[in-house]
Amino acid sequence: MSLVRLNIKGISYSQTQNGAYALILNEVGGERKLPIVIGAFEAQSIAIALEKEIKPPRPLTHDLFKNFSDRFEIVVKQVIIHKLVDGVFYSSLICERDGIEEIIDARTSDAIALALRFDAPIFTYKNILDKAGIYLKAEEKQREQEEKEEEEIIEEELLKEEIDLQPEDTSDYRKMSLEELKELLSQAVSQEDYEKAARIRDEISKRK
C-alpha cells in the first residue's frame, strides 16, 4: 500500500465531543483533509510545538521524551498512521538507534506531538485517507473562509469583553510597544500561562 505524506493544517475545537479538539492534517500535494479528535493535553502539547515563540520553562511530557531520546541517541525517523478501526486511528513511531530500526505503537496524538519535536514526517496509507479524508470543494472552501472570518470577529468581540472585565489579566495589548509585548510574553510563558501567552503572541504576529 502506498503512503501519503501529511502536514498539520491546524487545531480547532471538536464539533462532536465536548472538551476535545480536532487536529486537521492536510494531504501533501492534494486537497483532502484528515480530521482526528484529540484530548486537550495533547492539543496543548502540539500547539506549543507549533508555536516556536512559546518555550515552556519546564519540559512537558513529550519534551521529556525528546530529551530522553536525545540522551540515548534514539531518533524518531517518521510517524505512520497505519490503521483506522471504529473511528479510532492507530499510529507507529519508526525509531532508530545505532543503525537498528524499531517500530513502537503510539496514540496518534502522541505520535504527532513527537513528530513535531523530532522534525519527523507524518504519513498515512492511501486507503485510510480514501476512507476518512474530507475533500473540500470550492463552495466548501468559500464557506470555510466565511466561517473563519466570522470566528475572528467573534474572537475580537470576546477579547474586548475580557479586556473590560479583567483589565489586570488582559491589558489592551494594542497600546503596548513590541518590546513591551515580548517582555510580557516571556513573563506569561515563565508563569506557564499559555492562554495569555497565545493572546500576546497573536498581537505580536499582527505587527509582523
Side-chain angles (χ1 to χ4, degrees), residues 7-203:
N7 285 334
I8 296 175
K9 185 179 190 301
I11 300 174
S12 64
Y13 287 107
S14 173
Q15 301 298 316
T16 58
Q17 296 185 28
N18 291 332
Y21 292 78
L23 172 66
I24 309 300
L25 301 176
N26 189 61
E27 175 188 17
V28 174
E31 295 294 329
R32 287 177 293 183
K33 309 291 185 288
L34 187 65
I36 300 175
V37 176
I38 62 176
F41 172 78
E42 292 77 14
Q44 181 189 63
S45 183
I46 291 171
I48 288 175
L50 288 170
E51 299 296 341
K52 305 302 181 183
E53 295 181 16
I54 298 179
K55 301 291 183 185
R58 298 181 299 167
L60 301 178
T61 302
H62 298 108
D63 298 317
L64 177 61
F65 184 96
K66 176 63 163 60
N67 295 339
F68 181 90
S69 300
D70 289 344
R71 182 65 60 89
F72 291 95
E73 300 181 348
I74 301 169
V75 178
V76 174
K77 296 176 61 180
Q78 62 183 15
V79 164
I80 299 178
I81 303 172
H82 63 84
K83 186 168 64 174
L84 173 61
V85 179
D86 296 330
V88 178
F89 293 90
Y90 294 78
S91 295
S92 296
L93 301 173
I94 311 301
C95 307
E96 184 178 88
R97 180 173 183 266
D98 295 334
I100 300 175
E101 190 172 277
E102 298 286 350
I103 300 176
I104 301 175
D105 287 334
R107 295 188 307 171
T108 298
S109 55
D110 290 328
I112 291 174
L114 291 172
L116 285 169
R117 287 162 171 80
F118 282 90
D119 197 23
I122 303 167
F123 296 93
T124 191
Y125 289 109
K126 184 178 180 299
N127 66 322
I128 292 178
L129 196 57
D130 290 341
K131 182 178 180 180
I134 299 173
Y135 186 83
L136 296 181
K137 298 180 181 178
E139 297 83 0
E140 293 173 322
K141 288 183 181 179
Q142 179 64 28
R143 186 168 64 251
E144 183 184 60
Q145 180 62 30
E146 291 173 355
E147 290 175 353
K148 182 179 179 181
E149 291 174 356
E150 290 177 2
E151 288 175 0
E152 289 175 351
I153 293 172
I154 292 172
E155 286 176 1
E156 285 184 8
E157 292 301 321
L158 289 174
L159 182 56
K160 290 178 183 177
E161 291 179 9
E162 289 176 0
I163 290 172
D164 292 336
L165 294 173
Q166 303 177 27
E168 70 281 5
D169 290 333
T170 54
S171 302
D172 190 350
Y173 303 132
R174 289 169 291 184
K175 296 179 181 178
M176 302 177 70
S177 67
L178 191 59
E179 290 71 20
E180 289 173 328
L181 287 172
K182 289 181 178 178
E183 176 67 23
L184 202 60
L185 175 63
S186 178
Q187 292 176 8
V189 171
S190 66
Q191 295 168 3
E192 300 184 30
D193 188 346
Y194 299 121
E195 183 177 347
K196 181 178 179 180
R199 291 197 296 270
I200 299 170
R201 178 216 61 217
D202 290 342
E203 179 60 31

